[in-house]
Amino acid sequence: MALTGAAFGQLTVVWLQRVPMLTLSRRADAAELIAELTGFGVRCVADGGLDVTVPGVEALQPEALSALRAEAAQVVVL
């Protein structure tokens, strides 16, 4: 779904929560998986307060995440 929006030039941001970040952080191919999204123009973000990081995922402060959500034309939760 995110790739489709990005393919049509829609600003697309994937906000990864704690559980997906934990799952990705355990995978050896995490950076490659995220690169598949970012390569198509999808911005991947997560809460900077999480104790895990994944290459290619921007760690943002809560205020920045709130601003992203407030500015969004549409929010899809999966």
Side-chain angles (χ1 to χ4, degrees), residues 43-57:
R43 182 179 177 196
C44 297
V45 301
D47 184 342
L50 296 177
D51 56 351
V52 295
T53 59
V54 173
V57 177

Side-chain angles (χ1 to χ4, degrees), residues 24 27-39 54-56:
L24 278 170
R27 294 184 59 128
D29 63 346
E32 291 83 12
L33 292 171
I34 295 299
E36 289 181 23
L37 292 172
T38 59
V54 173

Side-chain angles (χ1 to χ4, degrees), residues 1-45:
M1 189 172 199
L3 291 175
T4 301
F8 284 97
Q10 298 296 313
L11 176 62
T12 306
V13 179
V14 172
W15 180 349
L16 297 161
Q17 298 291 317
R18 181 174 177 71
V19 172
M21 286 292 288
L22 287 170
T23 301
L24 278 170
S25 70
R26 290 187 218 118
R27 294 184 59 128
D29 63 346
E32 291 83 12
L33 292 171
I34 295 299
E36 289 181 23
L37 292 172
T38 59
F40 281 95
V42 176
R43 182 179 177 196
C44 297
V45 301

